[in-house]
Amino acid sequence: MSSVEAEVLQKIDLIEPTTGKLFFEHKTELLFCRPHLMPLKTQALERLEEMHRDTARQLQKKRQQKKKSTEPTGSL
Amino acid sequence: MYEPGTEQINCNGRLIELPTLEVVRPAPKMPSDANIDWLLHIYFTRREFTRCRRLIERELNRHLNPEYLYFVQGLIDREEGNHIEALRHLQKSAELNPRNIETYKEIGRTLYIMGRFSQALGVFREAEQRSSRQDHEIYHYLGELLYRAATTQSQKDVASQQQDEARTYFELAVQSGRKLESYVRLAELYRKDKQYQKAIEILENCLHLTPENSEVLIEISVLYLKINETQKAHDRLAEVVSIERKCSPKGLLAFGAILQSRNDIDGALSKYSQIANAEPEIAELWNNIGLCFFKKQKFIVAISSLRKSVWLSPLNYNALYNLSLIYIASEQYASAFHTLAAAINLRKDNAECYMLLGLCLRKLDDMENAFVALERASSMATGQQGAGRNPLVVLNFALFCYETGRLALSTEQYNRFMSQAQDLLLPTEYKFQATKLKSLLRISNQGNGILLDSADMGESDLGHNRATELLPDELPLEVNAVVSQN
């Protein structure tokens, strides 16, 4: 009895619907912007940016040194 | 001898008397070479606007009746998009002759184009009061403006009142003028109120004017589909397809959908390929194409088509539902779960989505949440008793309750399913599962009976003998029935 019931029980499966939802007409609606893939940078562009960053850092250091050198002369 | 008021002419199918000459202001007497309105009219109808402009600049200061000069100048400015100058010139023309209704109509039309709808409504109301005869253009614009005011109105009472007034004006416009635009707008109003039969009647009347207008035929067929009359919609769309060789995407989409609902998948796909050649970026088209391939059991092509549809229209509920359905059919339950979650977020009151979610969670071995989802689906399906009965939701819930050992709830849901499904034509799979569930529930109840009998066995020997005698007769019949059904 229990074995037969177990056999029949295993064969129970939920029923899936076989038809989807159709569209009968085309309506105009608001569109979204598409998601964008960020472009990868080339190696030359990377090097150029690194050079620019180094140059900016050096200029900033020079300005700081000038400020430090002008301060004691101002105090004197 | 000319007698005013004696002539009658046929105007738009109605006999009207000619207006008397006293309606308009008598023109001042000018020499024949000074009145150049005829030349201005010729240049304007030929759309030679530079010559019109030069002629107006030359004649404006020395013309004795510059009403028409200002009028044409206003029309030219409106054609060129300079609405403020057009409005100024038309107002000057109205000041010169306040009894000319055409100028008021042009002022109202200019305000309508500029987007100042309340001022345009006031101008058209004034034109309606001043006009001595029924003018279909005034009625049409009044209906249009009131309809637009009703859609933007926040208070429901005022909006419904304005909508009723708009319908009244559109009916007056249809009676007096019989123009295509008025018929179409009146049908739109009825369609918005979900009175599809009245909208169909109005568009059928419109077809008497223009029997081969494809847009009206397509609109009629869509309305027939709304009231589930597929044959009439098919006939109308067959007319459209025969009239125009290059049919519009709307007509082809509706025609393909009708063929698809009749399981003519190849015919529908040929219609859809015609649309896809012309306009490939329609989300509804790719949704229907995906369902065609789903019917053909080509799941990968169906998934790619529906994913294109969801890509084109990310908030499309039907496409998300269909995509989740195909994911479940192709046993991709994790993707189905994500798609169903998105669809449920779009429409939270749909029972089918919760049923599919429960089915999906059951496959993903999450029984508690599957039970919660199916319970919610069943309560929604029974809550919407009048609108769209769905016995599949209740049957699935009954099967799931039996599987997880909730026998009383399963019996209750089974009885609810039987009460819902009495007057419906169900697929054979539903009936088969229902009868299987019925027999299984009966076996379970009899098992409980056997337990009661075993409790009685300890009391008396006679009862014991009778129980042992009855058991071999009853059980093999039930077992044979179950085996034969399998």
Side-chain angles (χ1 to χ4, degrees):
Chain A
M1 180 59 197
S2 62
S3 63
V4 174
E5 189 172 349
E7 281 180 10
V8 180
L9 207 154
Q10 285 176 1
K11 293 178 181 177
I12 276 188
D13 203 356
L14 303 190
I15 304 170
E16 302 169 1
T18 55
T19 56
K21 293 180 187 294
L22 277 172
F23 280 104
F24 289 99
E25 56 183 342
H26 168 52
K27 290 183 177 178
T28 56
E29 58 180 4
L30 298 178
L31 296 179
F32 287 95
C33 295
R34 299 280 178 251
H36 287 281
L37 291 175
M38 303 295 290
L40 295 176
K41 295 177 181 177
T42 57
Q43 223 172 19
L45 189 60
E46 287 277 349
R47 269 197 238 108
L48 269 178
E49 283 187 357
E50 195 172 345
M51 286 168 66
H52 276 298
R53 260 185 267 112
D54 292 340
T55 312
R57 212 176 294 129
Q58 287 175 11
L59 283 178
Q60 200 172 7
K61 283 181 180 178
K62 284 182 181 178
R63 286 194 202 109
Q64 286 178 359
Q65 286 176 3
K66 282 183 181 179
K67 285 182 181 178
K68 288 178 181 177
S69 64
T70 52
E71 276 179 4
T73 58
S75 65
L76 288 175
Chain B
M1 184 60 191
Y2 175 72
E3 295 179 0
T6 55
E7 291 190 21
Q8 291 184 348
I9 59 170
N10 194 330
C11 176
N12 285 323
R14 293 174 61 253
L15 281 179
I16 63 166
E17 294 184 356
L18 277 180
T20 58
L21 290 182
E22 284 84 22
V23 172
V24 295
R25 197 185 69 177
K29 295 179 178 178
M30 288 190 295
S32 61
D33 58 340
N35 191 354
I36 40 87
D37 290 347
W38 60 273
L39 184 60
L40 186 62
H41 179 71
I42 287 174
Y43 284 153
F44 181 71
T45 50
R46 293 178 184 174
R47 298 184 71 85
E48 297 177 4
F49 292 154
T50 53
R51 287 191 183 184
C52 284
R53 212 177 282 276
R54 269 193 278 112
L55 190 61
I56 288 168
E57 284 171 1
R58 193 182 70 190
E59 294 290 329
L60 194 59
N61 292 319
R62 55 173 179 161
H63 206 283
L64 290 182
N65 186 22
E67 175 200 350
Y68 193 65
L69 301 183
Y70 283 118
F71 188 80
V72 172
Q73 182 68 49
L75 293 185
I76 290 169
D77 286 331
R78 195 176 75 193
E79 285 283 333
E80 293 174 351
N82 197 353
H83 300 301
I84 298 175
E85 292 292 320
L87 192 60
R88 199 161 58 85
H89 286 119
L90 287 169
Q91 279 172 351
K92 276 189 179 179
S93 179
E95 284 169 8
L96 287 172
N97 188 4
R99 302 176 70 182
N100 192 358
I101 307 297
E102 295 294 321
T103 316
Y104 284 97
K105 285 161 62 179
E106 294 300 330
I107 289 173
R109 203 173 276 150
T110 309
L111 287 167
Y112 181 81
I113 291 171
M114 291 168 76
R116 300 194 206 167
F117 300 118
S118 56
Q119 295 180 16
L121 185 59
V123 170
F124 274 115
R125 284 197 189 279
E126 189 176 0
E128 184 197 9
Q129 288 175 4
R130 286 171 180 264
S131 178
S132 60
R133 62 180 178 90
Q134 291 187 345
D135 196 330
H136 64 273
E137 287 182 353
I138 293 177
Y139 290 142
H140 177 80
Y141 272 101
L142 278 166
E144 187 90 36
L145 288 161
L146 283 166
Y147 180 47
R148 190 176 288 269
T151 52
T152 56
Q153 183 63 245
S154 59
Q155 301 176 5
K156 279 191 175 181
D157 299 336
V158 183
S160 63
Q161 180 186 353
Q162 283 175 348
Q163 194 163 326
D164 292 338
E165 198 172 359
R167 185 184 298 124
T168 307
Y169 277 121
F170 276 129
E171 284 172 358
L172 281 171
V174 159
Q175 288 168 14
S176 60
R178 290 209 183 93
K179 294 297 180 184
L180 178 69
E181 293 86 10
S182 301
Y183 279 109
V184 169
R185 300 300 274 173
L186 188 52
E188 274 186 34
L189 269 173
Y190 279 123
R191 178 180 172 168
K192 190 183 177 184
D193 287 339
K194 296 194 189 300
Q195 303 181 24
Y196 298 117
Q197 199 64 48
K198 278 198 170 183
I200 288 171
E201 285 172 13
I202 286 164
L203 289 174
E204 291 280 353
N205 285 327
C206 182
L207 279 183
H208 295 318
L209 296 177
T210 54
E212 293 189 351
N213 195 324
S214 62
E215 292 181 0
V216 174
L217 284 167
I218 290 168
E219 186 70 23
I220 285 179
S221 60
V222 169
L223 289 169
Y224 274 129
L225 286 170
K226 291 269 183 185
I227 58 175
N228 287 323
E229 297 200 11
T230 316
Q231 186 59 46
K232 290 184 179 179
H234 182 270
D235 295 338
R236 294 292 176 181
L237 285 169
E239 284 186 35
V240 174
V241 172
S242 64
I243 284 169
E244 293 187 356
R245 290 187 177 180
K246 289 190 175 180
C247 192
S248 65
K250 280 191 176 183
L252 283 174
L253 188 65
F255 199 48
I258 290 173
L259 294 176
Q260 191 170 349
S261 63
R262 294 178 171 182
N263 287 324
D264 185 6
I265 306 296
D266 295 322
L269 276 174
S270 68
K271 298 294 174 197
Y272 293 147
S273 66
Q274 288 183 33
I275 306 173
N277 290 330
E279 294 185 21
E281 297 281 318
I282 297 174
E284 289 89 359
L285 168 73
W286 289 106
N287 175 79
N288 289 359
I289 288 175
L291 284 182
C292 283
F293 287 119
F294 176 53
K295 280 283 182 174
K296 289 187 159 196
Q297 301 288 309
K298 296 181 178 178
F299 293 136
I300 294 176
V301 192
I303 285 171
S304 64
S305 300
L306 276 163
R307 282 179 67 85
K308 187 179 175 65
S309 175
V310 172
W311 166 261
L312 290 170
S313 177
L315 298 184
N316 199 334
Y317 169 76
N318 286 357
L320 287 169
Y321 174 83
N322 295 330
L323 186 57
S324 61
L325 186 61
I326 298 174
Y327 276 141
I328 287 175
S330 60
E331 299 182 2
Q332 304 182 33
Y333 298 111
S335 302
F337 173 74
H338 286 294
T339 315
L340 278 165
I344 285 170
N345 275 320
L346 284 177
R347 281 192 206 175
K348 292 181 165 57
D349 56 349
N350 199 290
E352 288 180 350
C353 261
Y354 279 104
M355 178 193 72
L356 287 183
L357 184 66
L359 211 141
C360 182
L361 287 170
R362 175 179 167 273
K363 291 290 184 178
L364 292 172
D365 290 329
D366 191 356
M367 291 302 179
E368 293 92 8
N369 286 323
F371 177 75
V372 171
L374 282 165
E375 186 181 28
R376 189 175 295 185
S378 180
S379 64
M380 281 181 188
T382 52
Q384 301 170 1
Q385 188 75 32
R389 285 179 291 180
N390 203 339
L392 180 61
V393 174
V394 187
L395 179 60
N396 273 333
F397 189 36
L399 291 169
F400 183 79
C401 287
Y402 180 79
E403 187 184 3
T404 53
R406 301 177 171 92
L407 295 182
L409 193 52
S410 181
T411 309
E412 179 190 347
Q413 294 296 320
Y414 174 76
N415 292 326
R416 187 174 293 172
F417 165 75
M418 290 305 291
S419 66
Q420 276 195 8
Q422 279 179 357
D423 51 351
L424 291 178
L425 286 178
L426 292 178
T428 53
E429 189 183 7
Y430 294 18
K431 295 177 181 176
F432 176 68
Q433 293 286 342
T435 50
K436 185 194 284 187
L437 180 64
K438 185 179 182 181
S439 59
L440 286 173
L441 285 173
R442 194 184 297 168
I443 288 175
S444 301
N445 290 328
Q446 214 170 26
N448 292 330
I450 291 170
L451 290 178
L452 291 177
D453 288 339
S454 65
D456 289 334
M457 281 166 62
E459 292 181 357
S460 64
D461 292 336
L462 292 178
H464 174 73
N465 291 325
R466 288 180 183 177
T468 52
E469 284 177 1
L470 285 176
L471 279 178
D473 292 334
E474 289 181 359
L475 284 179
L477 292 179
E478 294 297 330
V479 171
N480 288 327
V482 170
V483 169
S484 65
Q485 281 180 3
N486 291 328

